[in-house]
Amino acid sequence: PMKEAENRIIMVDDDSFTAELIGIVLESVGFDVILADGGIDALEKISSDPSIKIIVSDMNMITQVMLSMRLAV
């Protein structure tokens, strides 16, 4: 089995129901899921937790996260 930090994912979505549902599915197959409410929240969590390896999001949210990351540089 993978160690917790090796399979840490951040789930980013502005629809909390969708984020929680996908989070439950990912946790059921062994991922450690952190939920983020939008791009800025995701950026803050990614910045404070270097063990996050994967971002799961819809296309609109990932664009917001990437834009937030560019603006923060």
Side-chain angles (χ1 to χ4, degrees), residues 44-67:
E44 290 171 356
K45 289 178 177 177
I46 292 166
S47 297
S48 68
D49 187 349
S51 69
I52 296 172
K53 305 295 184 203
I54 300 170
I55 301 171
V56 177
S57 179
D58 64 30
M59 292 303 292
N60 292 330
M61 291 307 306
I62 198 66
T63 301
Q64 183 183 8
V65 170
M66 297 305 290
L67 178 60

